[in-house]
Amino acid sequence: MESIFIQYGWEVNTYSQLHQGLINSTYVVSTHKGEYILQTVNHHIFKHPTFIDFNINAISAYLAKNAPDYLFTHLEKTTEGATLIEWEGKYYRAFQKIDGYALSILENEHQAFEAAKQFGLFTQMLSNFDASTLKITLPDFHNLSLRYHQFEQSVQQGNSQRIKAAKTAISFLSSQQHYVDQYEKFIQHKEVKQRVTHHDTKISNVLFKQMNGIEKGVCVIDLDTMMPGYFMSDIGDMCRTCLCNVSEEEANLDLLKVDALKWEAIQKGYLSEMQSELSNFELDHFFFAGQFMIYMQALRFLTDHLNMDTYYGAKKEGQNYVRALNQIRLLELYNALK
Ligand code: GN1
Ligand code: MG
């Protein structure tokens, strides 16, 4: 780490690792110039860390010119002016730490409104930015047809013991393939547009702050998967992570509850920024967005479990199986809202 600190010209007082996110490693570093967030980019998953760097810098420059007051995680420059460091086979980048806190579970619908408003504002701010100029940091990231195909492959080629034990979950997810057809119809529709999309709008990717006694969303973070995409990805992941009273790690499925008021709040919050941007056809797919993302996440977790956790990793035996079952239960509860 010392060599990284030197490249940024930091005199470091303390640093510690934050245990958030499944993919990258994140540290908070306290220096003589203030606090920074330092991250390694997982280049086994993000094969081209330079693409992420390009995208964040492109958006950063656009916002600095067109919306200088918008709070954004501008990348920190090294003493040589670089925003991405390659060092001993790892990639590093840093941001100034923004004042605020992240939540992993929402307590009330006000927070759901605030979070959705921030994600809506993000896309809205960039509505005149040409999304097609962004690099694709993860090809087919939210391509449900591909995710389904990968799931089928894992059922064919994965660990046979795990496949046997997961029989019920496998047949449930197979029986819900209609979501894939619906997704295909959605993306092919002429009223559907690709915009600058965050693609990881889980609740912990919004920062909150108390302002005059009111809890406000202040900005969105974690822009690695920011690329052209569909609004369904962002709404969907909010539904997936904001409506439930427990996280995707919860193994006791009886504890899961889904809150209809929070669903309303997500819709209101997002539309407070995005109403005029979305077509009627897109607006009609608000509920489907949640089904799409919860279903996809269940597929992804189960696929990884059957493939011996090669993507997400697992700290405990069967962790991705627990997550998959959790998401299946969440999907059932979500559908009951309708
Ligand atoms: C991963 O690393 P993190 O927690 O930001 C994943 C998301 C999943 C999420 C599930 C690049 O995000 O797609 O929704 O885990 N990111 C990638 O917790 O695969
Ligand atoms: Mg992420």
Side-chain angles (χ1 to χ4, degrees):
M1 289 298 251
E2 276 308 317
S3 9
I4 303 299
F5 298 160
I6 290 169
Q7 297 190 49
Y8 281 111
W10 292 338
E11 287 162 31
V12 172
N13 304 323
T14 54
Y15 74 94
S16 57
Q17 187 165 6
L18 290 179
H19 294 282
Q20 255 176 24
L22 306 186
I23 305 292
N24 296 330
S25 307
T26 305
Y27 304 84
V28 52
V29 187
S30 163
T31 79
H32 71 298
K33 291 198 287 186
E35 285 194 306
Y36 294 90
I37 295 292
L38 177 69
Q39 283 188 312
T40 62
V41 179
N42 184 332
H43 62 282
H44 301 291
I45 288 180
F46 293 101
K47 305 273 189 248
H48 302 282
T50 52
F51 286 4
I52 299 178
D53 187 60
F54 174 93
N55 284 354
I56 300 182
N57 280 325
I59 298 290
S60 179
Y62 177 88
L63 290 171
K65 183 161 173 241
N66 296 288
D69 293 336
Y70 178 77
L71 204 50
F72 183 76
T73 52
H74 298 283
L75 288 164
E76 198 56 27
K77 288 199 169 82
T78 65
T79 51
E80 303 212 320
T83 48
L84 182 70
I85 297 177
E86 188 183 349
W87 185 255
E88 294 182 340
K90 287 190 177 172
Y91 292 85
Y92 297 82
R93 48 91 193 280
F95 315 96
Q96 262 181 36
K97 187 170 181 295
I98 293 177
D99 188 20
Y101 51 86
L103 301 167
S104 50
I105 301 288
L106 288 189
E107 287 138 28
N108 55 55
E109 59 270 20
H110 169 72
Q111 294 167 333
F113 178 91
E114 285 294 318
K117 187 177 169 67
Q118 282 305 316
F119 285 118
L121 177 65
F122 175 71
T123 296
Q124 197 272 328
M125 276 287 172
L126 296 167
S127 53
N128 290 326
F129 179 94
D130 181 0
S132 70
T133 61
L134 292 176
K135 309 258 188 221
I136 307 297
T137 59
L138 280 178
D140 288 314
F141 186 41
H142 285 178
N143 178 340
L144 187 59
S145 303
L146 179 85
R147 296 298 183 188
Y148 191 81
H149 176 68
Q150 291 171 332
F151 162 69
E152 284 183 313
Q153 275 184 322
S154 73
V155 173
Q156 297 298 321
Q157 296 157 17
N159 177 278
S160 54
Q161 256 174 326
R162 287 190 172 189
I163 294 170
K164 215 182 276 167
K167 217 172 124 211
T168 314
I170 292 172
S171 52
F172 174 77
L173 290 179
S174 309
S175 75
Q176 303 301 304
Q177 206 189 344
H178 57 91
Y179 291 130
V180 182
D181 304 334
Q182 238 175 309
Y183 158 79
E184 282 296 334
K185 284 201 187 104
F186 175 82
I187 62 168
Q188 283 159 28
H189 197 279
K190 61 180 188 318
E191 275 183 40
V192 168
K193 201 174 148 183
Q194 296 226 18
R195 302 179 177 84
V196 179
T197 303
H198 186 284
H199 283 113
D200 192 11
T201 60
K202 56 177 167 192
I203 183 57
S204 52
N205 282 338
V206 185
L207 293 184
F208 287 87
K209 199 175 166 179
Q210 294 288 338
M211 287 188 222
N212 304 322
I214 302 171
E215 193 168 35
K216 290 292 223 185
V218 287
C219 72
V220 306
I221 56 171
D222 187 4
L223 302 175
D224 299 338
T225 50
M226 170 180 72
M227 52 186 162
Y230 304 107
F231 94 103
M232 279 209 309
S233 288
D234 284 358
I235 286 297
D237 222 24
M238 282 186 252
C239 292
R240 191 179 78 77
T241 60
C242 292
L243 304 183
C244 194
N245 56 324
V246 292
S247 82
E248 66 193 14
E249 304 288 348
E250 181 56 60
N252 181 352
L253 302 184
D254 293 336
L255 294 183
L256 271 72
K257 286 196 191 70
V258 157
D259 183 345
L261 291 177
K262 289 190 187 131
W263 189 82
E264 299 285 338
I266 289 177
Q267 186 160 356
K268 277 199 197 117
Y270 192 78
L271 292 182
S272 70
E273 301 294 340
M274 284 290 290
Q275 177 90 48
S276 58
E277 293 288 326
L278 298 174
S279 67
N280 288 335
F281 183 78
E282 287 172 318
L283 287 169
D284 287 345
H285 282 74
F286 238 87
F287 192 79
F288 178 63
Q291 295 172 313
F292 157 72
M293 277 302 292
I294 300 169
Y295 179 62
M296 181 157 66
Q297 199 59 55
L299 287 175
R300 291 180 66 195
F301 283 143
L302 191 56
T303 302
D304 199 37
H305 173 68
L306 301 182
N307 288 339
M308 299 306 284
D309 314 303
T310 46
Y311 186 87
Y312 285 113
K315 293 198 182 84
K316 292 177 273 201
E317 166 70 25
Q319 189 171 12
N320 286 306
Y321 187 45
V322 164
R323 291 170 173 156
L325 297 180
N326 172 301
Q327 298 293 290
I328 289 174
R329 179 75 187 127
L330 180 62
L331 182 59
E332 287 165 353
L333 292 168
Y334 180 73
N335 280 329
L337 287 181
K338 219 176 180 181

